[in-house]
Amino acid sequence: MSNAAITDKRPGSLHGARLPKWSPWAIAAGSVAVAVGIGAGAGLDSKVQWGLIAGLLFLFGTYGIAAAVEGRRQAKDRIATGLVWVAFVVALVPLVSLVWTTVSRGVKVLNVYFLTHSMGVVPDSQPGGGIYHAIIGSLEQVALATIIAAPVGILTAVYLVEYGRGKLAKSVTFFVDVMTGIPSIVAGLFILSLMLIFDMEPFGFAGSMALAILMMPVVVRSTEEMLKLVPNELREASLALGVPKWRTILKVVLPTSIGGITTGVMLAIARIAGETAPVLLLVFGNRFINNNPFEGAQQSLPLYIYQQYAQSAGANAAYDRAWAASLTLIAFVMILNLVARGIARWKAPKSGR
């Protein structure tokens, strides 16, 4: 008798019973239906409780059905996959809820007029006005912060990866780690102390300096990781040809990692675009358009949102403007993230066939 025939007659075949591909969806639908019934019958008003019950039922149901059909070993694999999906849904629900709430409330006054006019002499309690002055202030402050932080952060990362040795490099790494977790209000207070020493009035560039402090460690960390991904063989090949190290970094290392570096800078910009505390201390806010960030108080989108919401007690117009400005800020951050992803894909090394 051949080996193939013997193998076919063995009782423990590798091709055991398997649940159909649609079974997780069916179990999930059944779990949701049962959870709704339990929640409604028990008088649970919170939809969060219904969701938690549905998640537990999905996990227990998946394990029970899989264990009965496929065996306990495959059931453990399926419940691990189920835990991943439940965690994903739990993380996704607040995000979807936030976006839905912002969009549904922000579209009430979001139009061309709102984007192209400032508050001017419009009282906070009255309808009208817009966020043009806040958009101008945010763009100028974030752009100046990027001009300051991006070169410093990239050069610091180049030093740490290419030249950093000894106590100085360890000290720089330590302080970068400390700055990564520094509260934004601390950066604002630091710049405010300098302004008080030199008897300076609030102006837009002061906010840019605080935002640059918050942006630098993010740029350093992201750039450092991208530079570490560049193969050492490229550096060694360039140096073997007699190219100086600084030119190797400039012509080989940086171009190879430019996609990741650009992505890190764009994500750092998105991180500082929504900061309110340092702007509140240093820029102070302005109802009129101020195109000069080096003189006089300015406005910014996060500060505008805070001020409008603070004035929204009994004033639906200010409340609606705050939500519309929040939607604009979310759209701005989303565009930055999409641009970062596009640049990363554009500059990514092309894989050969």
Side-chain angles (χ1 to χ4, degrees), residues 179 181-195 206-217 271-272 275 277-279 281-282:
M179 289 178 64
I182 190 174
S184 59
I185 190 68
V186 175
L189 289 173
F190 172 70
I191 301 299
L192 180 62
S193 63
L194 297 178
M195 293 174 60
S208 298
M209 289 188 289
L211 295 178
I213 294 174
L214 300 174
M215 184 178 175
M216 282 181 194
R271 181 251 186 275
I272 66 171
E275 290 293 341
V279 179
L281 289 174
L282 306 172

Side-chain angles (χ1 to χ4, degrees), residues 87-311:
F88 169 73
V89 172
V90 169
L92 190 64
V93 167
L95 176 61
V96 174
S97 176
L98 174 64
V99 173
W100 172 256
T101 303
T102 306
V103 172
S104 61
R105 296 185 177 183
V107 296
K108 293 181 180 179
V109 297
L110 185 61
N111 50 38
V112 176
Y113 178 88
F114 183 73
L115 296 174
T116 56
H117 287 74
S118 66
M119 288 301 295
V121 296
V122 178
D124 291 329
S125 59
Q126 298 298 321
I131 58 172
Y132 179 76
H133 60 310
I135 294 175
I136 293 296
S138 286
L139 290 177
E140 291 182 348
Q141 293 160 27
V142 171
L144 290 171
T146 305
I147 293 173
I148 297 171
V152 175
I154 293 173
L155 291 176
T156 302
V158 170
Y159 165 75
L160 292 175
V161 175
E162 303 295 336
Y163 297 99
R165 301 291 185 273
K167 294 183 179 180
L168 179 59
K170 292 180 180 179
S171 300
V172 173
T173 301
F174 172 76
F175 283 111
V176 169
D177 292 337
V178 172
M179 289 178 64
T180 303
I182 190 174
S184 59
I185 190 68
V186 175
L189 289 173
F190 172 70
I191 301 299
L192 180 62
S193 63
L194 297 178
M195 293 174 60
L196 294 176
I197 291 174
F198 294 101
D199 195 20
M200 302 173 68
E201 297 293 330
F203 61 112
F205 184 65
S208 298
M209 289 188 289
L211 295 178
I213 294 174
L214 300 174
M215 184 178 175
M216 282 181 194
V218 180
V219 176
V220 172
R221 276 284 162 257
S222 60
T223 304
E224 189 177 1
E225 294 302 321
M226 291 301 105
L227 294 177
K228 289 179 179 178
L229 293 177
V230 178
N232 285 327
E233 289 78 4
L234 294 178
R235 298 180 177 87
E236 293 170 357
S238 178
L239 295 173
L241 295 174
V243 180
K245 187 169 185 176
W246 68 268
R247 194 170 182 84
T248 298
I249 297 172
L250 189 62
K251 295 295 185 179
V252 176
V253 177
L254 290 179
T256 304
S257 57
I258 190 63
I261 294 174
T262 306
T263 302
V265 172
M266 299 294 286
L267 294 178
I269 294 174
R271 181 251 186 275
I272 66 171
E275 290 293 341
T276 307
V279 179
L280 177 63
L281 289 174
L282 306 172
V283 179
F284 206 67
N286 192 344
R287 302 179 65 87
F288 296 91
I289 300 172
N290 180 12
N291 294 322
N292 186 3
F294 300 99
E295 183 179 357
Q298 261 192 330
Q299 189 61 275
S300 71
L301 278 173
L303 181 57
Y304 178 90
I305 296 167
Y306 169 77
Q307 292 176 340
Q308 289 297 308
Y309 188 80
Q311 299 295 329

Side-chain angles (χ1 to χ4, degrees), residues 17-81:
R18 298 280 296 179
L19 289 173
K21 293 183 178 179
W22 48 264
S23 60
W25 299 101
I27 296 173
S31 301
V32 171
V34 174
V36 170
I38 294 174
L44 301 177
D45 297 329
S46 175
K47 301 300 187 295
V48 176
Q49 294 174 325
W50 294 17
L52 292 176
I53 294 174
L56 292 175
L57 290 175
F58 172 74
L59 294 176
F60 287 118
T62 299
Y63 183 80
I65 295 173
V69 177
E70 300 176 331
R72 296 182 61 182
R73 182 175 181 180
Q74 187 64 24
K76 292 178 181 178
D77 177 75
R78 286 190 176 273
I79 200 169
T81 305

